[in-house]
Amino acid sequence: MGDIDFQAMEFAYEKHADQAASAQARHQVVVVGAGPVGLTTALDLARQGVRVLVLDDDFRLSTGSRAICFSKRTLEIWDRLGVGQRMIDKGVSWNVGKVFFREQEVWRFDLLPEPGHRRPAFINLQQYYAEGYLYEQARQEPNIDLRWKNKVAGVEQRDDGVVLSVETPDGAYALHADWLIACDGARSPVRKLIGQESHGRIFRDRFLIADVKMQADFPTERWFWFDPPFHPNQSVLLHRQPDNVWRIDFQLGWNADPVEAVKPENVLPRIRALLGPDARFELEWVSVYTFACERMDKFRHGRVVFAGDSAHRVSPFGARGANSGVQDAENLAWKLKLVLAGHAPETLIDSYAVEREYAADENILNSSRATDFITPKSDISRSFRNAVLNLAKTHPFARSLVNSGRLSLPATYAGSPLNTPDTDAFSGRMVPGAVALDAPVNAQDWWLAQLDGEFVLALFCGDALPDRDTLLALQALRMAPVPVKAVLVASPQCNLSALPKELPAVTDREGCLGKRYDAQAGTAYLIRPDQHVCGRWRAFNAAAVAAAVGRATGRA
């Protein structure tokens, strides 16, 4: 069976009963925008039992490959939502990147040099495939109502929610949303409707995207050239995508005419200069972009919350745009679910803004630095960059300064108000606020597969099961107003046959999980529904865990 042609797919407009109702229809959550961020948000909420209405003013998926580079963390989030494996099966996995200066390779890096991870550092996958798989998953969710050709034209904030004016081919109608999540892109109509804007920096440069279909024996790696002989004084990026499509980005300079640049007579010579005069290829998609690093001052405005490009955007170098948007969705969904269920105060949504504004600032900083290195705007900056590139071939210290786009990593919310600070000594990366690392467990399973959208307490028990009182206390966590699933992490020598069926356990078959979490027998980690650590202790204490859950849900 061949792939679905998501580029040709069109979705029919259907009139809904809301449009003819005598009273204004009320919805718990309305998501505006059916792109990767909007669909991820809707899926995450729906799988937690929240009914979601998704409105999109278009009737098809995105045109062209657009975002193609999806990170390990994004894949782990999509695994939890049931679409990760499909992305992997179609995508092109890669970990290795190479940097060239003029004719020579000056640096090679591996983003995932250690074994024991389920997912690669990145996959390349055209955005329309990612959107298509998310759409097909959303279509199976009874809690998702997806309406095409429904354009939000008015937003009225109220104390108990938002009243939306929605335009359709059959005329306008109004509905009430307890919460409105704007995932409607960089030009965000919702942002404009509430009188907000983004602030930041527009970079005075232009790049040409050319998606080229061809048979090539290049390895599946990220190649970045500075000042190559086939495109002198500029930069070029090459990536492989599925279906024998290759993404090539050519720096053009600020004075390039974007209308002229996309004409075949101007695109084809650039590609032939890179591939050789005899190369055979087809152009699949061409576009010119100018990029910016900017964000809204605040991501929450009353009952309106912004996520993805509507809240923040960065240059494409480093794959930070779509990936950070998917992480926005994961951060928000579990918090909104608890608020709607009455298990957390509305102020918990403020922590979404705190954490994701911090993550946006981190992304903007890294993206701005990469863009300044790639496109220097003064002779001094260019001389510094070229000196770094010359040194990088033989001097390791210079490689840390090479910046062809620091690639996306999940933010560590070290200063989050939801964290319980350490009272015990630990080493390693699993500090409160860090995203949980994966590791192999059991015969053929993975640790993150145990973290399925709820609070989890991981108790490392070593070679012996905990005593009866501890086991009872762990079981009681499941009965709390905000349930906590306790998972025992045992060594291969531990006999799990006497464990109550109500308590799940995994075997740290290679000791990898214990090493990554600096665990000893008795060590406990509390992990949030979005798989970020929020507390850890050298010994389990039920009262300390309950207090940490209260803090992590805004009830401290």
Side-chain angles (χ1 to χ4, degrees):
M1 183 177 176
D3 290 315
I4 297 171
D5 186 356
F6 289 118
Q7 290 281 269
M9 186 179 287
E10 295 185 353
F11 307 107
Y13 159 76
E14 296 180 5
K15 188 172 183 177
H16 194 274
D18 284 357
Q19 294 167 248
S22 57
Q24 201 174 82
R26 184 161 189 153
H27 296 266
Q28 279 190 314
V29 179
V30 174
V31 172
V32 182
V37 179
L39 289 173
T40 299
T41 304
L43 273 170
D44 209 343
L45 285 164
R47 290 171 73 89
Q48 298 183 68
V50 178
R51 291 194 60 80
V52 186
L53 170 61
V54 181
L55 303 176
D56 195 283
D57 62 358
D58 204 352
F59 58 94
R60 49 184 167 273
L61 304 176
S62 63
T63 302
S65 61
R66 298 183 181 270
I68 65 164
C69 201
F70 297 105
S71 70
K72 178 176 182 286
R73 181 64 203 141
T74 295
L75 296 171
E76 291 166 351
I77 294 168
W78 285 340
D79 277 336
R80 188 170 53 75
L81 301 181
V83 292
Q85 189 59 50
R86 197 169 181 193
M87 305 284 187
I88 288 284
D89 290 344
K90 182 62 180 177
V92 174
S93 298
W94 66 276
N95 298 321
V96 173
K98 292 179 180 176
V99 177
F100 302 86
F101 182 42
R102 297 179 179 139
E103 299 91 350
Q104 294 188 319
E105 178 184 329
V106 297
W107 187 34
R108 175 190 184 278
F109 57 87
D110 189 337
L111 296 167
L112 201 64
E114 62 182 8
H117 293 272
R118 183 183 183 190
R119 296 310 186 197
F122 287 91
I123 65 166
N124 288 347
L125 181 69
Q126 292 91 325
Q127 184 172 322
Y128 51 80
Y129 280 121
E131 286 184 12
Y133 299 154
L134 289 165
Y135 161 74
E136 292 189 335
Q137 190 74 12
R139 192 175 56 180
Q140 299 174 36
E141 284 288 345
N143 283 329
I144 295 178
D145 178 2
L146 180 52
R147 302 181 194 174
W148 302 99
K149 293 188 180 179
N150 275 244
K151 178 182 179 181
V152 175
V155 176
E156 179 188 344
Q157 289 257 37
R158 296 183 180 177
D159 291 341
D160 64 343
V162 184
V163 174
L164 303 179
S165 175
V166 184
E167 295 179 350
T168 76
D170 284 322
Y173 70 105
L175 57 82
H176 183 284
D178 293 343
W179 290 88
L180 175 65
I181 306 175
C183 307
D184 52 344
R187 295 183 177 86
S188 182
V190 172
R191 190 176 64 223
K192 294 180 175 66
L193 287 169
I194 68 167
Q196 296 295 318
E197 56 186 25
S198 289
H199 303 283
R201 177 181 173 192
I202 306 294
F203 288 87
R204 292 173 60 83
D205 214 317
R206 290 191 172 93
F207 276 75
L208 172 77
I209 292 176
D211 276 1
V212 175
K213 190 157 192 171
M214 63 179 180
Q215 296 286 344
D217 56 2
F218 302 136
T220 304
E221 299 171 345
R222 177 188 193 263
W223 286 1
F224 197 103
W225 287 270
F226 291 95
D227 192 13
F230 56 83
H231 194 58
N233 301 315
Q234 307 282 24
S235 301
V236 178
L237 174 65
L238 176 71
H239 263 300
R240 181 184 171 192
Q241 303 175 66
D243 305 332
N244 294 315
V245 176
W246 296 78
R247 159 72 63 83
I248 311 174
D249 289 50
F250 293 97
Q251 183 185 3
L252 299 177
W254 181 245
N255 294 323
D257 183 334
V259 175
E260 290 295 316
V262 298
K263 292 180 177 179
E265 61 265 30
N266 295 320
V267 175
L268 295 177
R270 298 185 192 279
I271 297 172
R272 293 198 183 282
L274 167 61
L275 301 178
D278 299 324
R280 300 177 64 183
F281 59 86
E282 299 174 32
L283 274 180
E284 187 166 276
W285 183 59
V286 181
S287 180
V288 170
Y289 62 87
T290 299
F291 42 85
C293 287
E294 58 186 14
R295 74 167 175 89
M296 297 178 68
D297 295 334
K298 300 291 182 184
F299 292 179
R300 180 191 174 189
H301 293 265
R303 292 292 187 94
V304 182
V305 184
F306 291 83
D309 284 354
S310 69
H312 50 79
R313 63 179 180 138
V314 291
S315 77
F317 303 111
R320 296 175 179 274
N323 290 301
S324 62
V326 170
Q327 291 161 40
D328 290 347
E330 185 189 44
N331 186 293
L332 178 59
W334 70 272
K335 297 174 180 178
L336 190 51
K337 183 252 186 179
L338 289 177
V339 170
L340 290 167
H343 295 315
E346 188 177 312
T347 52
L348 183 61
I349 307 303
D350 293 334
S351 74
Y352 162 79
V354 169
E355 292 177 345
R356 296 312 299 168
E357 286 163 12
Y358 166 80
D361 288 340
E362 188 175 85
N363 281 321
I364 287 170
L365 176 64
N366 280 288
S367 185
S368 298
R369 287 174 173 172
T371 306
D372 285 337
F373 191 87
I374 293 167
T375 63
K377 296 300 184 290
S378 69
D379 291 340
I380 292 176
S381 296
R382 184 175 295 275
S383 295
F384 169 78
R385 187 198 71 180
N386 291 352
V388 166
L389 291 168
N390 277 317
L391 289 168
K393 186 174 182 181
T394 53
H395 294 80
F397 82 89
R399 293 167 194 162
S400 64
L401 301 175
V402 174
N403 197 338
S404 63
R406 294 273 187 267
L407 286 150
S408 172
L409 291 171
T412 296
Y413 310 134
S416 172
L418 307 189
N419 293 343
T420 294
D422 283 337
T423 55
D424 302 315
F426 282 88
S427 62
R429 295 163 52 190
M430 291 293 90
V431 299
V435 68
L437 287 174
D438 207 0
V441 296
N442 298 336
Q444 291 182 327
D445 206 352
W446 295 91
W447 172 240
L448 291 186
Q450 322 307 313
L451 313 181
D452 50 3
E454 57 188 329
F455 279 94
V456 170
L457 183 81
L459 180 60
F460 291 80
C461 61
D463 296 343
L465 293 178
D467 60 39
R468 181 175 178 275
D469 289 344
T470 299
L471 293 177
L472 289 172
L474 293 173
Q475 289 176 272
L477 292 174
R478 199 68 165 146
M479 308 306 294
V482 177
V484 178
K485 181 176 80 171
V487 180
L488 293 181
V489 182
S491 74
Q493 291 74 40
C494 183
N495 180 8
L496 297 175
S497 61
L499 191 66
K501 293 180 180 178
E502 297 79 11
L503 275 178
V506 297
T507 298
D508 188 8
R509 69 174 189 261
E510 300 173 10
C512 182
L513 188 63
K515 289 178 183 176
R516 287 179 179 162
Y517 286 70
D518 184 30
Q520 307 162 3
T523 295
Y525 274 80
L526 182 64
I527 302 173
R528 301 180 346 182
D530 61 356
Q531 300 181 346
H532 281 255
V533 174
C534 58
R536 58 182 179 171
W537 306 268
R538 283 301 181 192
F540 167 69
N541 180 289
V545 172
V549 172
R551 184 166 185 150
T553 54
R555 295 180 287 113

